[in-house]
Structures are given as C-alpha cells and as structure tokens.
Amino acid sequence: MTAMSTLLIVHHTPSPTMQAMLEAVLAGARDDAIEGVDVVVRPALAASAVDVLAADGYLLGTPANIGYMSGALKHFFDQIYYPCLDATVGRPYGLYVHGNSDTTGAVRGVEGITTGLKWKRLCEPLTVIGEADTTAREACRELGATAAASLMPE
C-alpha cells in the first residue's frame, strides 16, 4: 500500500464568490487523475496546528478585507505559527484571493507570514477581482489540481 499525502485547504469563505472559488479549487484538487492525495478542508477559524502538522502541503483561500487577508485567516496563522514553525519548513503552499477592487495587501500579508514559516510557494498567487467568472473558476480548478498533483507519491 502506498502512503497517502495530505493537502490541507484552509479557507475563509464568507461570500458567494469565495464559495464558487472554493468549489472550483476542490474540484481540481479532487480530480480523478490525481491519486494518493487526501484532501482535507478546514474553515480558517477551525483549522489547527494539528491539521497543519498532519499535512504535506497547503492551499490557502481568503478574501481581501480592508486591504489585508481576512481576520479569520490571520487568526489561523496566529494559532499555528509557533507550533508549526520548525516542523513545516519547506512545505509547498498555494494561495487564492478574492477582492472587490484590490488584493495586493492580502497577498503581501500572506506571503510575509509564509516566508516566516519558510513554506515554499508552488505558483503565483491566484487573485480574482470582482466576480469569479468562468475563466477565474477554471484558474481556481487548475490551482487545486496543481497543488494536489504536486503531492502525488512517486
């Protein structure tokens, strides 16, 4: 039996647009072509250091709120930062952000924290301004698939 890898998706999904993005990310991460990867989904306010330590890679989803990541995602990082600091060095992560007008501050905030954790960015952060149209949802699906596929056992 092959060992399973775990992709932890931590999200704050307060709006229909964030819900559409999360569903697309999940569809990609759970694609039938990806084998040997368990996808675990946690709302940011429920995710714990135990979840982070048990995972091999991460996908983070947040709205851009008042120029920053959501308070829920910040709370997640506050809870897991020191307990996970040494144990998760080098683990891959991806990020998707939705904003009505700008996502720069939210991306910068998450990247500052993930740099401190020494996580490895899998790809450019996926940012969506306004509605999550078909192109945006397809990009979310691709992000989910890329993150999960990167964890497939050899």
Side-chain angles (χ1 to χ4, degrees):
M1 188 173 140
T2 325
M4 293 280 284
S5 295
T6 300
L7 172 64
L8 175 63
I9 300 176
V10 178
H11 65 96
H12 183 59
T13 306
S15 68
T17 300
M18 284 301 298
Q19 185 64 38
M21 292 173 72
L22 173 63
E23 287 169 8
V25 162
L26 289 172
R30 292 175 172 156
D31 189 286
D32 291 340
I34 298 167
E35 296 176 356
V37 180
D38 187 26
V39 178
V40 175
V41 185
R42 294 280 185 272
L45 291 175
S48 69
V50 173
D51 295 318
V52 174
L53 292 168
D56 302 289
Y58 317 100
L59 247 181
L60 310 167
T62 182
N65 289 347
I66 317 166
Y68 198 62
M69 73 183 90
S70 70
L73 193 65
K74 175 65 168 67
H75 175 79
F76 161 74
F77 280 128
D78 288 345
Q79 297 302 303
I80 66 101
Y81 192 88
Y82 287 108
C84 299
L85 186 57
D86 295 328
T88 61
V89 169
R91 292 191 188 167
Y93 82 95
L95 171 66
Y96 65 95
V97 182
H98 172 258
N100 290 325
S101 59
D102 185 31
T103 57
T104 313
V107 170
R108 186 176 31 242
V110 170
E111 288 190 328
I113 294 168
T114 54
T115 297
L117 286 164
K118 297 183 177 75
W119 290 358
K120 199 174 56 200
R121 191 169 80 181
L122 260 175
C123 51
E124 283 297 312
L126 172 58
T127 60
V128 174
I129 303 288
E131 194 157 334
D133 61 12
T134 306
T135 305
R137 289 193 310 273
E138 185 50 41
C140 288
R141 190 181 194 300
E142 211 169 283
L143 175 64
T146 298
S150 77
L151 298 174
M152 281 176 58
E154 300 286 314

